[in-house]
């Protein structure tokens, strides 16, 4: 049996794939205690340790080789948060992330150059953005090793792979590099990928069919439903949360629309390490559709989507820790494909275990928190802090990537002196532009002038001053609705409703040249901007 050492082992998804291919996991290292506990419980024969990879990589030779045992394969998943687009829009400091990657490479290189080394293959996994931060090769001296020559890092098989092509019901792209043969993608066409429905139809809804025997959706074994852990509970999402998530998903402005709730006829979106209720990345499932009630997926549901076996346990005292263990991991079936390719390369043959072997847990050693039966109360919305910032556009009014935004970002937040501005925004990223054209009523077509003037007067009757407008914005959705308060969201909604019900769709295609900006701007966008700008004249007064 060939041996594997796993660095940054997390909850053990990378190890699990190699175990399923018949490898023996002998050592696993992680700095986070819940990951160490989870890996040890699910891979009890491995020497799983809580330790620092940077420290290990710099140990003296004798101590280093005593800890990092000889193996035919080394695998590792350095933390990806430094390189993820979701971390400060991809602009987070990368220095520690690069140091962790180079520490892992230093470990692999030291095992390669050891006398009588048995190391044959190694793999590094991370998010696609990491590509630009890993060199094709390093000199040994760059890695802090006193040796001449270079260490090859990127091989022909090094590229971005998508888990959905390895029979994982998740659209999860990850970059793999290292010395390993290219794994075979099982799914050749997007029409054949596994969907959320393919998985959840097996394990049923939470709290249902508890006495029924459930077929694991990924492996050949069954469990009684009530014995499936971390599944039989409900985390319902509050109205104010799912409505915000819906707005972020379907009306982000410069980004494409996303399904709300999740489209069960497609693979899952990338499972994140955090399961928020009110962001664009939120994973939202229907709970009671007829009543517009929604829930978060259970830990077990996302674990199955990531291709973990039904009996795999995630050790954490809270659901957030368990979500993180799943979301940060390598899907076992993706790992299995790589392990299978390596096994064939080593032996020219592959002898897989005859049948999935259920995990035998020693409950006397580890205290497992099962979420089944837990009651999670719906979150209650709190008032926003007095200095809360606002930046949003007229909802669902985007023409050729132009949108009209209302913002308080130019306010004096220290002195609680608020100012509200209207702006026209176009596109995103490097091509993003902000326009504040000088326009008056003449920008409005003759046939629309009177109705626009009347509408602006109606709006101004509902607005008092800029500070009052800020105060209303800081109230909860429920209070604004119950007391019929008119704040930023209500203003933008009113403008959208007015345009939809008073302006023919043919005007959405009309452009107007703005001389002082030297740009063509859609007429309907200029109308929204003018209405917002005129309203601003009122609520910027004390």
């Amino acid at each position: 049996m060939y041996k594997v050492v796993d660095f940054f082992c997390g909850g053990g998804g990378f190890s699990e794939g190699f175990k399923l291919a018949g490898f023996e996991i002998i050592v696993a290292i992680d700095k986070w205690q819940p990951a160490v506990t989870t890996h040890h419980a699910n891979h009890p024969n491995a020497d799983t340790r809580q330790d620092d990879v940077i420290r290990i990589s710099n140990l003296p030779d004798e101590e280093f080789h005593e800890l990092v045992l000889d193996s035919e394969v080394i695998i590792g998943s350095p933390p990806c948060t430094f390189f993820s687009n979701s971390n400060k829009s991809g602009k987070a400091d990368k220095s520690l992330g690069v140091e962790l990657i180079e520490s892992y490479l230093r470990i692999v290189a030291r095992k390669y150059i050891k006398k009588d080394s048995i190391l044959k293959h190694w793999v590094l996994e991370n998010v696609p953005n990491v590509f630009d931060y890993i060199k094709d090769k390093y000199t040994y001296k760059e890695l802090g090793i006193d040796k001449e020559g270079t260490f090859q890092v990127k091989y022909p098989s090094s590229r971005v792979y998508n888990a959905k092509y390895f029979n994982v019901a998740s659209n999860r792209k990850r970059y793999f590099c290292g010395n390993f043969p290219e794994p075979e993608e099982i799914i050749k066409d997007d029409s054949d990928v596994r969907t959320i429905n393919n998985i959840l139809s097996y394990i049923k809804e939470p709290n249902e069919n508890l006495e029924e025997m459930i077929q694991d959706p990924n492996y050949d074994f069954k469990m009684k439903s009530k014995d499936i852990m971390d599944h039989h509970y409900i985390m319902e999402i509050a109205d104010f949360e799912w409505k915000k998530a819906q707005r972020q998903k379907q009306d982000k402005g410069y980004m494409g629309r996303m399904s709300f709730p999740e489209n069960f006829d497609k693979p899952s979106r990338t499972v994140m390490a955090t399961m928020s209720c009110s962001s664009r990345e939120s994973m939202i499932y229907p709970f009671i559709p007829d009543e517009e009630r929604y829930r978060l997926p259970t830990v077990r549901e996302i674990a199955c989507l990531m291709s973990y076996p039904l009996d795999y346990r995630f050790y954490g005292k809270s659901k957030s820790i368990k979500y993180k263990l799943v979301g940060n991991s390598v899907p076992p079936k993706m790992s299995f494909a790589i392990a299978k390719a390596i096994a064939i390369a080593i032996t020219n043959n592959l002898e897989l275990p005859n049948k999935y072997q259920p995990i035998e847990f020693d409950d006397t050693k580890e205290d497992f928190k099962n979420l089944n039966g837990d009651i999670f109360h719906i979150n209650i919305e709190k008032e926003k802090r007095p200095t809360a910032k606002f930046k949003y556009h007229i909802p669902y009014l985007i023409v050729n990537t132009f949108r009209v935004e209302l913002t308080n970002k130019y306010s004096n937040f220290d002195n609680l002196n608020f100012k509200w501005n209207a702006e026209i925004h176009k596109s995103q990223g490097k091509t993003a532009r902000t326009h504040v054209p000088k326009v008056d009523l003449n920008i409005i077509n003759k046939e629309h002038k009177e109705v626009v003037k009347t509408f602006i007067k109606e709006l101004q009757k509902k607005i008092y001053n800029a500070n009052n407008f800020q105060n209303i914005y800081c109230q909860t959705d429920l209070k604004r609705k119950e007391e019929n308060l008119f704040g930023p969201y209500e203003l933008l909604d009113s403008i959208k409703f007015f345009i939809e019900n008073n302006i023919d769709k043919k005007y959405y295609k009309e452009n107007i040249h703005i001389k002082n900006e030297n740009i063509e701007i859609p007429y309907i966008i200029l109308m929204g901007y003018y209405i917002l700008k005129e309203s601003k004249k009122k609520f910027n007064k004390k």
Side-chain angles (χ1 to χ4, degrees):
M1 185 179 289
Y2 293 102
K3 298 179 284 295
V4 177
V5 175
D6 188 352
F7 289 94
F8 310 101
C9 65
F14 218 163
S15 287
E16 183 69 11
F18 275 80
K19 185 192 81 172
L20 292 170
F23 287 81
E24 178 187 3
I25 315 302
I26 58 171
V27 177
I29 306 290
D30 203 282
K31 200 172 183 178
W32 189 36
Q33 185 57 57
V36 174
T37 303
T38 297
H39 190 283
H40 175 69
N42 291 279
H43 301 92
N45 296 324
D47 179 10
T48 307
R49 302 186 184 188
Q50 184 177 20
D51 209 331
D52 178 52
V53 170
I54 296 175
R55 184 194 78 85
I56 293 171
S57 73
N58 291 307
L59 287 173
D61 276 355
E62 184 175 350
E63 189 177 353
F64 172 79
H65 291 296
E66 284 180 359
L67 195 158
V68 185
L69 299 179
D70 291 350
S71 64
E72 285 82 9
V73 181
I74 294 177
I75 57 178
S77 301
C80 63
T81 52
F82 307 100
F83 307 101
S84 175
N85 279 330
S86 63
N87 188 358
K88 298 183 180 180
S89 299
K91 298 177 181 178
D93 182 16
K94 311 291 193 299
S95 55
L96 179 55
V98 171
E99 184 179 6
L100 289 167
I101 286 173
E102 291 181 356
S103 295
Y104 173 68
L105 297 177
R106 184 181 305 119
I107 289 171
V108 176
R110 290 181 70 180
K111 294 304 295 185
Y112 254 131
I113 64 176
K114 179 196 173 190
K115 185 179 179 181
D116 300 324
S117 172
I118 65 170
L119 181 60
K120 299 181 182 297
H121 298 279
W122 65 274
V123 192
L124 183 152
E125 179 267 357
N126 213 289
V127 294
N129 285 352
V130 80
F131 176 85
D132 293 330
Y133 299 90
I134 300 178
K135 298 180 182 181
D136 291 357
K137 60 179 65 175
Y138 294 76
T139 66
Y140 285 109
K141 293 191 185 308
E142 283 180 305
L143 295 176
I145 300 172
D146 186 16
K147 177 180 170 59
E148 297 298 325
T150 58
F151 176 65
Q152 186 77 23
V153 172
K154 293 180 181 177
Y155 287 76
S157 60
S158 298
R159 65 175 177 88
V160 173
Y161 294 87
N162 194 323
K164 68 180 180 181
Y165 298 124
F166 297 98
N167 217 21
V168 179
S170 176
N171 190 23
R172 186 182 185 88
K173 294 180 180 179
R174 286 297 184 267
Y175 177 71
F176 289 83
C177 69
N179 183 5
F180 63 95
E182 183 151 345
E184 180 184 2
E185 293 180 339
I186 299 171
I187 307 297
K188 306 299 183 184
D189 189 280
D190 277 359
S191 62
D192 295 327
V193 296
R194 301 196 77 188
T195 67
I196 297 175
N197 255 334
N198 292 152
I199 298 296
L200 301 194
S201 61
Y202 280 89
I203 63 175
K204 315 297 184 185
E205 288 287 316
N207 299 324
E208 293 185 0
N209 309 97
L210 296 181
E211 296 300 323
E212 184 178 336
M213 290 299 293
I214 302 298
Q215 172 65 52
D216 186 292
N218 293 295
Y219 305 96
D220 186 20
F221 74 99
K222 293 183 178 182
M223 291 180 67
K224 185 168 282 191
S225 178
K226 67 181 180 181
D227 295 329
I228 298 173
M229 297 187 176
D230 296 332
H231 180 55
H232 297 296
Y233 68 93
I234 298 293
M235 181 62 199
E236 187 171 356
I237 304 171
D239 282 8
F240 75 92
E241 292 176 311
W242 68 255
K243 287 177 181 177
K244 182 178 179 181
Q246 184 180 40
R247 195 161 59 235
Q248 293 288 317
K249 288 172 178 292
Q250 299 195 327
D251 188 34
K252 183 64 174 174
Y254 52 81
M255 301 178 77
R257 288 169 65 96
M258 298 171 68
S259 297
F260 180 90
E262 299 303 312
N263 185 345
F264 279 27
D265 292 325
K266 291 184 177 181
S268 164
R269 289 181 298 102
T270 299
V271 175
M272 308 294 285
T274 56
M275 297 297 288
S276 65
C277 301
S278 56
S279 69
R280 185 172 169 84
E281 291 75 28
S282 298
M283 219 175 239
I284 296 178
Y285 287 2
F287 177 35
I288 305 179
D290 293 343
E291 299 178 20
E292 286 194 310
R293 292 169 65 182
Y294 302 94
R295 67 175 178 88
L296 290 179
T298 67
V299 169
R300 184 52 53 190
E301 285 173 325
I302 62 167
C304 286
L305 292 173
M306 287 279 280
S307 75
Y308 277 97
L310 274 179
D311 60 343
Y312 204 95
R313 293 188 186 180
F314 302 93
Y315 285 75
K317 295 181 179 180
S318 67
K319 67 180 186 303
S320 61
I321 292 175
K322 291 171 180 277
Y323 276 129
K324 185 175 181 179
L325 286 163
V326 179
N328 275 342
S329 59
V330 179
K333 284 202 168 187
M334 197 176 197
S335 168
F336 171 79
I338 294 173
K340 179 180 175 182
I342 289 174
I344 293 173
I346 293 175
T347 66
N348 293 319
N349 189 21
L350 181 64
E351 293 184 10
L352 294 175
N354 292 328
K355 190 177 181 181
Y356 177 81
Q357 296 297 320
I359 302 165
E360 295 183 9
F361 295 96
D362 186 350
D363 291 328
T364 63
K365 290 185 178 181
E366 307 293 352
D367 183 21
F368 180 74
K369 162 66 177 172
N370 185 4
L371 297 177
N372 286 357
D374 279 10
I375 304 297
F376 296 99
H377 298 288
I378 299 176
N379 291 333
I380 298 175
E381 185 181 11
K382 298 178 182 178
E383 289 185 7
K384 299 175 184 67
R385 66 187 187 280
T387 56
K389 294 183 179 180
F390 183 92
K391 182 179 181 292
Y392 204 66
H393 58 274
I394 298 174
Y396 302 99
L397 186 66
I398 303 162
V399 183
N400 298 332
T401 74
F402 283 96
R403 59 199 182 278
V404 181
E405 289 191 355
L406 174 65
T407 179
N408 65 359
K409 66 182 178 181
Y410 303 107
S411 303
N412 186 331
F413 291 97
D414 292 335
N415 295 332
L416 299 182
N417 185 14
F418 296 97
K419 184 178 182 181
W420 295 82
N421 289 73
E423 299 175 340
I424 294 176
H425 287 259
K426 177 176 173 57
S427 194
Q428 63 169 322
K430 294 181 179 179
T431 61
R433 296 289 183 270
T434 299
H435 302 279
V436 284
K438 295 177 181 179
V439 296
D440 55 29
L441 189 60
N442 291 322
I443 204 73
I444 305 298
N445 289 347
K446 183 184 295 186
E447 62 188 288
H448 299 142
K449 280 186 179 180
E450 288 304 316
V451 69
V452 167
K453 285 169 62 177
T454 301
F455 177 59
I456 290 172
K457 288 179 181 179
E458 291 175 359
L459 289 179
Q460 290 182 340
K461 291 177 184 178
K462 299 178 181 180
I463 299 168
Y464 298 99
N465 59 51
N467 283 12
N468 173 261
F469 208 63
Q470 175 74 15
N471 180 58
I472 293 173
Y473 164 54
C474 293
Q475 305 305 312
T476 65
D477 286 358
L478 181 61
K479 183 174 181 178
R480 295 203 312 273
K481 184 177 181 180
E482 288 180 343
E483 299 185 12
N484 198 29
L485 300 176
F486 195 81
Y489 284 124
E490 290 75 20
L491 173 60
L492 294 174
D493 286 343
S494 296
I495 296 173
K496 171 60 176 174
F497 183 82
F498 169 80
I499 291 175
E500 273 190 337
N501 288 274
N502 291 278
I503 311 301
D504 193 283
K505 291 287 185 184
K506 67 181 180 181
Y507 290 103
Y508 283 62
K509 299 179 180 179
E510 183 178 321
N511 291 324
I512 295 180
H513 183 75
I514 304 299
K515 292 182 180 178
N516 63 315
E517 295 275 337
N518 192 27
I519 189 172
E520 297 278 332
I521 296 179
Y523 168 69
I524 212 73
I525 293 295
L526 285 169
M527 177 184 286
Y529 171 73
Y530 174 73
I531 294 171
L532 203 53
K533 175 175 167 289
E534 289 302 298
S535 299
K536 179 175 71 70
K537 288 182 179 179
K538 175 72 179 287
F539 58 53
N540 273 340
K541 294 179 180 179
K542 290 285 185 179

